[in-house]
Amino acid sequence: MNLLDGAVLPKDGEKTADFVIVGSGPAGSAVARAVARAGASVLVVEEGPLRKPSDFHADSFQAMADLYRDLGGSLTRGPAPMPYLQGRVVGGTSVINGAISWRLPKDIHDQWCKADPALTLALPFDTLEALTDEMERELGIAPTDPAIAGTHNALFAKGAQALGIAHRPISRNVVQCQGSGGCLQGCRHGRKQSMDLTLLPQACEYGAEIMFNTKVLRIDHDHRRARGVLARSQGGGLWRLQARRAVVLAASAVQTPCLLWQSGLRHGPVGEGFQGHPGASAAGFFREPVHLWQGATQGHEGIGLRQEGLKFEVLGMDIGVAMTRLPGVGQELSRHLALLPHMAEWGCAVKAQARGTVRPSLLGRPVVRYQLTDADMAKTRKGLSILAQMLLAAGAERVHLGVHGGPTEITDPRQAQAFASEGPRDPRAYAMVLTHLFGTAAMGSDPARSVVGPDFGVHQLAQLYVADSSVFPSNTGVNPQTSILALASLCGQRLAAAG
Amino acid sequence: MIQRWSLRLNRHKSASGAEVRTAACRLLSLVLPANQELGSPSAGSAANAAFWHTFDRSAPLLLRAGLTIAVFWLTWLPFLRHGRPLHRLDPAQQTAFLQGMAQSRFYVHRQLTLVVKLLASLALGTDAGARQVLMQRRP
């Protein structure tokens, strides 16, 4: 790969390319490859470090410190703050996610087009499907092989089957998975087809350059068109990165709107409409060993209630994180350590209605304000209730929800069922995590109600484009990586064709 | 003169930083003590210099501030009731206090306890010996 390490660049400098792309996650990588393949010169700028699979750590703390933004401790603001997880490494969140791959659901696409008919032409579903097909082939996306799925995933299938909830092995971008359960720490075997191992090296073969350990501070523009970006290398140099044809923002639904704000580009709902998929989880304790750190990290899912905005998944994890889900503190927690090998952890992702905002603080750090609605909490209670029933049906002797004011432990399916109606209403009673972030620079034809137009171009400024999940008009209810890849590829193809 | 004051300030800072660190390790050990039967160490002893170095380098300001507040609050709140800080209580009182905080009706108490429990778990997860023991053990 053509690499430039910002850590060894103490002096100021300048570089020029046809396209300057901010962010090296799925969106940035897809655009970079598309435009580089068409012969354009490309510079991808990434804030995080470059890591090889052999650099990844087995334990979650070291992995989070090295690969996650803020040690995984970025928090939303609001009455019930919750962490949101983002990768900060070359390859972005694709390096540290569970590799779950979902096509953009047709019903979600229809909703977008119904709300803004201009999107029917701008994002033709057939074209997105064709691009998704291409990605599925290239990234080896296939259902999880039962041979490596492991007990944790097999029990999930058993529980979902018993409850009559449609379920299936998760399609993932992993080739010859060894079932080592380390997706969330970065795959040390290099089997996950994350962007650092796939699209980015391909883009580099076409001549793209990756400047990592370099943080983009703002977009350089003259109020009519974008000229490039101003960036700070980790070594301390100030770099003026000029774009002959366009600047493409692909820095995530949190960082992209902040960059727009910090660059004085605040026309339209910049940073508004923030959406995500808050997730809650249930721990079940089985008589037989489960070893939730073995097998496919996230190998099986329950999809029967997707239309209601609920999706269920296995949550494999390292023991460092798993221990936090054991009940109690002090001597009680210490005693429960013996239960770790027998614990299963399953989660539900909620397609929340809540909409938040993203703005930079005075110090330039993103401030995400987000508060779940009553309807979101009702879905969460239902999701946890179903997870508890599934765990019991799969053979768990008891289930621990970790909800303040809820039952300490659940041993009876009727108790689990009752949680949906009787569980606490207050979001502060729950320990939830927010993933899959969308909508902060939404696409649309009306500049008053959207930030980018149907061509991915920012309404306010020529030659500035947004290609990440910020442009999604709403959350999708499913894991977005493949949808992001499809939309960003479309964006890249159009930029390449624009000449 | 300014340099001298600056040196004194830095010395004071590192001294108070070391005290906070010692108190944090003590608290982590109380939240996740050693399990003699399994042979796992306490979270406090697993949180070695390398752990804190990584924490200091990577944790956002909010998390670092949260830990400092949690250490101070959880250590000294028992003083109001028992006239002694947490680490000077007998084990039964310590357990009762920590359980009370984890289940407190005050959200802040629960969150502070959760921050310490999270760090204790992550710290123990960095200990190679503890990992081996915990991953293979059967109850």
Side-chain angles (χ1 to χ4, degrees):
Chain A
M1 289 205 280
N2 313 316
L3 304 166
L4 196 55
D5 184 355
V8 295
L9 298 174
K11 292 184 180 166
D12 299 352
E14 278 191 15
K15 281 186 84 68
T16 304
D18 290 335
F19 292 95
V20 172
I21 298 171
V22 183
S24 68
S29 304
V31 175
R33 191 187 62 166
V35 292
R37 187 156 56 183
S41 62
V42 176
L43 179 62
V44 179
V45 193
E46 166 60 49
E47 184 183 353
L50 175 75
R51 293 287 182 259
K52 299 188 296 290
S54 57
D55 298 330
F56 296 146
H57 299 270
D59 79 81
S60 39
F61 178 72
Q62 293 294 347
M64 288 160 81
D66 201 28
L67 308 175
Y68 286 56
R69 186 174 291 279
D70 293 337
L71 191 60
S74 307
L75 285 177
T76 62
R77 303 258 180 99
M82 65 179 100
Y84 57 92
L85 303 177
Q86 294 189 294
R88 187 181 159 278
V89 60
V90 172
T93 303
S94 72
V95 177
I96 50 123
N97 66 13
I100 300 176
S101 300
W102 265 77
R103 304 176 80 94
L104 179 66
K106 177 79 167 72
D107 51 293
I108 298 293
H109 184 266
D110 288 345
Q111 285 169 22
W112 292 356
C113 295
K114 194 177 168 191
D116 187 345
L119 298 190
T120 313
L121 282 176
L123 304 175
F125 192 70
D126 291 347
T127 307
L128 292 176
E129 284 283 275
L131 289 166
T132 305
D133 288 342
E134 188 186 332
M135 283 298 164
E136 285 191 340
R137 276 195 304 276
E138 292 189 41
L139 302 182
I141 294 172
T144 303
D145 180 358
I148 55 90
T151 310
H152 198 199
N153 289 294
L155 286 170
F156 183 96
K158 186 179 168 188
Q161 185 69 27
L163 256 69
I165 292 172
H167 62 98
R168 64 183 187 187
I170 292 178
S171 287
R172 304 179 307 149
N173 52 310
V174 185
V175 173
Q176 294 182 327
C177 178
Q178 297 193 331
S180 56
C183 285
L184 308 186
Q185 294 100 268
C187 180
R188 287 183 293 151
H189 303 287
R191 303 302 166 92
K192 181 162 62 172
Q193 301 299 291
S194 49
M195 299 303 110
D196 54 319
L197 301 181
T198 53
L199 301 196
L200 284 173
Q202 288 173 27
C204 288
E205 278 176 27
Y206 293 118
E209 191 173 14
I210 301 168
M211 190 173 182
F212 59 98
N213 283 330
T214 302
K215 182 179 169 61
V216 172
L217 305 174
R218 64 179 168 81
I219 299 150
D220 192 11
H221 62 89
D222 60 9
H223 300 286
R224 284 179 298 131
R225 69 184 192 90
R227 296 191 175 281
V229 300
L230 199 66
R232 174 80 67 190
S233 67
Q234 203 183 75
L238 195 61
W239 282 73
R240 194 169 292 279
L241 308 173
Q242 297 176 43
R244 280 187 287 261
R245 287 168 61 180
V247 173
V248 182
L249 301 183
S252 90
V254 172
Q255 276 70 36
T256 288
C258 283
L259 262 179
L260 290 169
W261 263 77
Q262 285 166 324
S263 309
L265 302 169
R266 298 167 191 177
H267 183 79
V270 176
E272 290 171 21
F274 172 82
Q275 285 200 299
H277 297 149
S281 65
F285 297 92
F286 290 76
R287 184 169 289 277
E288 70 267 32
V290 177
H291 294 144
L292 85 169
W293 48 83
Q294 287 176 355
T297 305
Q298 295 192 272
H300 213 89
E301 62 188 350
I303 55 172
L305 297 178
R306 187 181 70 79
Q307 294 294 347
E308 291 182 36
L310 283 172
K311 188 172 158 300
F312 305 97
E313 295 165 356
V314 170
L315 291 176
M317 59 185 74
D318 176 53
I319 61 162
V321 178
M323 277 186 274
T324 64
R325 294 293 289 129
L326 289 170
V329 284
Q331 292 296 343
E332 185 191 8
L333 176 59
S334 181
R335 275 197 305 276
H336 283 140
L337 289 177
L339 297 175
L340 262 183
H342 298 257
M343 184 172 94
E345 180 83 3
W346 300 345
C348 64
V350 176
K351 184 175 184 294
Q353 293 175 350
R355 283 177 181 260
T357 60
V358 180
R359 296 273 188 279
S361 70
L362 287 175
L363 298 174
R365 289 180 60 82
V367 176
V368 179
R369 290 196 166 79
Y370 187 71
Q371 183 179 352
L372 294 176
T373 66
D374 290 345
D376 297 334
M377 290 315 301
K379 276 188 207 170
T380 305
R381 286 195 301 276
K382 182 172 181 179
L384 282 174
S385 159
I386 290 169
L387 283 177
Q389 292 175 63
M390 279 171 57
L391 281 159
L392 291 173
E397 292 175 331
R398 60 183 186 279
V399 175
H400 177 71
L401 298 182
V403 176
H404 177 72
T408 312
E409 63 176 30
I410 293 175
T411 51
D412 184 329
R414 281 168 302 185
Q415 208 184 354
Q417 215 165 3
F419 185 83
S421 54
E422 295 168 9
R425 260 66 176 158
D426 187 345
R428 290 177 300 179
Y430 296 76
M432 299 177 77
V433 174
L434 187 62
T435 54
H436 312 155
L437 315 175
F438 307 90
T440 48
M443 178 184 280
S445 51
D446 181 358
R449 295 194 302 144
S450 58
V451 178
V452 307
D455 63 346
F456 294 89
V458 173
H459 288 302
Q460 195 183 346
L461 202 68
Q463 297 185 8
L464 178 63
Y465 295 82
V466 179
D468 58 32
S469 60
S470 308
V471 305
F472 284 37
S474 74
N475 55 4
T476 59
V478 298
N479 309 66
Q481 179 174 270
T482 315
S483 314
I484 293 170
L485 284 166
L487 261 74
S489 297
L490 181 64
C491 172
Q493 285 182 357
R494 288 186 182 157
L495 287 172
Chain B
M1 181 68 144
I2 291 171
Q3 271 184 342
R4 219 166 38 220
W5 275 104
S6 167
L7 273 173
R8 274 189 195 176
L9 188 67
N10 281 342
R11 238 179 272 144
H12 174 73
K13 264 188 191 169
S14 56
S16 63
E19 281 167 23
V20 170
R21 190 86 348 136
T22 308
C25 284
R26 208 162 44 206
L27 186 58
L28 295 188
S29 293
L30 291 175
V31 166
L32 184 44
N35 185 317
Q36 309 290 353
E37 197 186 325
L38 296 178
S40 67
S42 73
S45 58
N48 52 26
F51 174 86
W52 290 116
H53 175 73
T54 306
F55 179 79
D56 288 340
R57 187 169 46 84
S58 316
L61 187 65
L62 204 62
L63 184 56
R64 277 183 283 162
L67 178 66
T68 306
I69 294 167
V71 168
F72 179 81
W73 194 248
L74 297 178
T75 301
W76 290 101
L77 191 62
F79 194 85
L80 296 177
R81 185 164 173 189
H82 302 285
R84 281 171 295 162
L86 180 64
H87 55 277
R88 298 247 185 269
L89 301 181
D90 65 53
Q93 285 175 321
Q94 285 172 344
T95 302
F97 171 76
L98 288 171
Q99 282 177 346
M101 292 299 279
Q103 291 158 14
S104 168
R105 65 194 174 96
F106 297 111
Y107 178 64
V108 175
H109 286 176
R110 298 200 304 272
Q111 290 306 105
L112 291 177
T113 316
L114 184 65
V115 166
V116 180
K117 183 177 175 181
L118 178 67
L119 272 177
S121 303
L122 290 173
L124 192 57
T126 61
D127 187 294
R131 291 177 68 81
Q132 203 170 7
V133 165
L134 296 174
M135 285 169 147
Q136 289 170 0
R137 188 74 190 188
R138 291 175 178 218

